[in-house]
Amino acid sequence: MAAVRSRGWKTGDGGASEYTVVQIRLHPTREQAELIEKTFGCCRYLWNKMLSDVQEFYAAADVHFIPTPARYKKEAPFLTEVDSQPLCCVHQNLRRAFLDFFRAPGKFGYPRFKTKKAGKDSFTVYCRQYRTGPSVYLTGSGIQMPKLGLIPANIHQRPQRGWSLRFVTVRRTATGKYFCSVTFGREAKRPEKIPPVPERTLGLNYSLTRFYVDSQGNSPVLPSLEADREKLARMQRKLSRMERGSGNYQEQLEKIRLLHERMANRRRDFIHKESRRIANAWDAVCVRETDLVELSRKLKQGGVMDYGFGAFREYLKYKLERQGKAYIVLDRLAPAARTCRVCGRVNGALDTHSRVWSCPECGAAAAREVNTARNIRDMGLEQYFSRRESA
């Protein structure tokens, strides 16, 4: 199945480039699957060797130096069996990881060694233009890649005219399926920004039970995952009673992985459709800067990460920006939940157990989550225009 995963913009000296990513399912032959697995292993080996040498160079000479992949091919001849492009990407990725760490150590951690048990193997191949044609391209029955040849794939969605293939990333899921993320790009002008107005702006307030409540008082229809959660709990209890490493244990573990994948696909489908619906219907969206990780630690009953509100915000952001619409993030310290929309009083305490919010000053009553969503919209617009005036 093909699916558009993300879109974005990148500004350079020659103008703005627009990117879109299409994910397709690969069906490699046995020989192609073996070569893909070899490429995964070579990339993992090269990353670990480079990282180890960087640490040794720095400890011995106090110099930060990353060797190139060509240095390792003599001591590890198996690196020549795979395409050189993924190996070059490993070098660039490690270099970028160190640059991010030196630029913002609090946000980006120090690069770590990779293990096979992590189950996050992938490699990237860039498309090169030669006189005989591009090195990577789509056909009617699959995708052509260096050394791998034509990999069969079901491509249900193709780029429009003017898009060119830039690079592909091949990965393997925990259930053993192969996917390819194909990135297309084109030179284009950024869309004209649509100025936000209160009538065309939506405020979103995160809700533990309803995913979100908007400033109109609406909430989405959530996909039912209760049956899958109960089934998952039964399967995990059954797994705990099996002998680790046995055939039955591996078979049960594979069933659990498939169920996890099914739940993740349903969740991703929901947030893609919901973010698209909002991005098409509104000119601006205001959300609060909520730390979901910290919130999940405080709420012992859990459920904060069940439907992926963090990913929903990221999807909504790029879909709005691609249309020139505003995505406004309200400061997390703003008292949106404690402010009365009628009189503007900020209350000191908030009863989180009550769904009705009553103002002790003017006596106005409203649904607590709806009142918060409307305040997020109003405060977000005020913050947006004040920052534009100061800039």
Side-chain angles (χ1 to χ4, degrees):
M1 180 179 180
V4 177
R5 297 183 60 192
S6 62
R7 295 186 176 95
W9 293 85
K10 183 178 180 181
T11 304
D13 297 335
S17 298
E18 184 182 4
Y19 291 92
T20 183
V21 182
V22 177
Q23 181 177 261
I24 61 177
R25 170 80 182 276
L26 300 178
H27 303 280
T29 62
R30 182 176 180 179
E31 293 76 13
Q32 289 173 335
E34 290 179 355
L35 186 54
I36 290 176
E37 292 297 331
K38 283 185 179 180
T39 308
F40 288 151
C42 289
C43 291
R44 185 172 57 251
Y45 168 85
L46 189 61
W47 173 281
N48 293 337
K49 287 291 292 183
M50 285 182 177
L51 183 55
S52 177
D53 287 346
V54 168
Q55 295 176 351
E56 291 182 6
F57 290 149
Y58 188 80
D62 198 20
V63 175
H64 182 77
F65 173 70
I66 305 178
T68 60
R71 173 176 179 172
Y72 300 95
K73 291 187 176 180
K74 290 184 179 180
E75 61 182 70
F78 57 85
L79 294 177
T80 59
E81 299 179 10
V82 302
D83 184 31
S84 61
Q85 278 293 314
L87 306 182
C88 294
C89 289
V90 172
H91 180 268
Q92 294 299 321
N93 291 339
L94 184 60
R95 176 177 174 273
R96 190 180 303 112
F98 273 109
L99 290 176
D100 291 337
F101 171 73
F102 293 141
R103 176 172 53 86
K107 183 178 180 181
F108 299 95
Y110 188 85
R112 299 180 179 181
F113 291 97
K114 295 185 178 182
T115 62
K116 189 175 182 180
K117 294 181 180 180
K120 296 181 179 180
D121 289 322
S122 66
F123 66 84
T124 300
V125 179
Y126 281 84
C127 180
R128 304 298 181 186
Q129 297 293 335
Y130 300 107
R131 288 181 298 176
T132 56
S135 59
V136 181
Y137 57 90
L138 298 178
T139 67
S141 58
I143 180 171
Q144 178 75 28
M145 296 179 61
K147 285 203 172 181
L148 288 168
L150 181 61
I151 305 177
N154 296 328
I155 306 174
H156 302 286
Q157 184 173 356
R158 296 180 180 271
Q160 299 178 355
R161 185 176 181 181
W163 293 89
S164 61
L165 194 153
R166 301 297 177 86
F167 60 90
V168 297
T169 299
V170 179
R171 63 181 180 88
R172 185 191 64 241
T173 65
T175 57
K177 299 175 183 177
Y178 295 97
F179 287 89
C180 181
S181 298
V182 187
T183 301
F184 298 92
R186 67 173 179 179
E187 301 300 323
K189 294 182 179 179
R190 285 182 174 270
E192 296 184 3
K193 292 187 177 180
I194 302 175
V197 294
E199 297 78 14
R200 298 287 303 161
T201 302
L202 186 69
L204 297 181
N205 176 39
Y206 171 73
S207 174
L208 183 62
T209 57
R210 298 192 283 174
F211 192 64
Y212 73 75
V213 178
D214 63 23
S215 52
Q216 303 291 316
N218 301 319
S219 297
V221 179
L222 298 173
S224 179
L225 298 177
E226 291 299 326
D228 288 338
R229 292 196 189 100
E230 293 176 0
K231 183 178 180 181
L232 179 62
R234 292 195 303 269
M235 294 173 68
Q236 289 175 334
R237 286 195 297 268
K238 185 177 180 180
L239 180 69
S240 65
R241 295 191 293 267
M242 294 181 177
E243 181 182 354
R244 183 179 295 270
S246 64
N248 289 336
Y249 182 91
Q250 295 298 330
E251 183 179 351
Q252 184 70 7
L253 188 62
E254 183 66 20
K255 293 179 181 179
I256 292 177
R257 288 172 177 170
L258 288 171
L259 183 57
H260 271 296
E261 184 179 73
R262 179 175 180 270
M263 295 172 65
N265 289 338
R266 293 184 62 191
R267 185 185 301 113
R268 191 179 302 110
D269 179 73
F270 161 70
I271 59 179
H272 263 301
K273 290 179 179 178
E274 190 65 21
S275 58
R276 172 55 61 195
R277 183 189 66 82
I278 294 176
N280 290 345
W282 298 89
D283 292 344
V285 176
C286 299
V287 298
R288 184 163 49 183
E289 187 182 5
T290 305
D291 190 345
L292 298 176
V293 176
E294 184 65 24
L295 186 62
S296 64
R297 292 172 182 170
K298 293 180 179 179
L299 300 178
K300 296 182 179 180
Q301 66 268 30
V304 176
M305 304 294 187
D306 281 354
Y307 289 98
F309 189 76
F312 169 76
R313 290 184 300 189
E314 292 298 321
Y315 292 179
L316 183 60
K317 178 181 179 181
Y318 83 74
K319 288 171 182 175
L320 286 168
E321 291 178 347
R322 191 172 186 268
Q323 302 179 57
K325 299 178 179 180
Y327 176 80
I328 304 169
V329 180
L330 178 65
D331 188 86
R332 64 185 182 90
L333 299 179
R338 298 183 289 111
T339 303
C340 177
R341 290 196 65 256
V342 179
C343 65
R345 169 174 171 165
V346 180
N347 297 314
L350 178 66
D351 184 11
T352 57
H353 298 285
S354 177
R355 286 190 171 272
V356 179
W357 191 89
S358 299
C359 178
E361 181 71 19
C362 65
R368 180 175 56 85
E369 293 180 324
V370 176
N371 178 76
T372 304
R374 290 173 179 173
N375 285 333
I376 290 175
R377 179 195 61 190
D378 297 340
M379 293 180 179
L381 288 174
E382 182 180 355
Q383 174 184 287
Y384 174 83
F385 289 112
S386 62
R387 289 182 178 179
R388 290 197 64 182
E389 291 176 359
S390 61

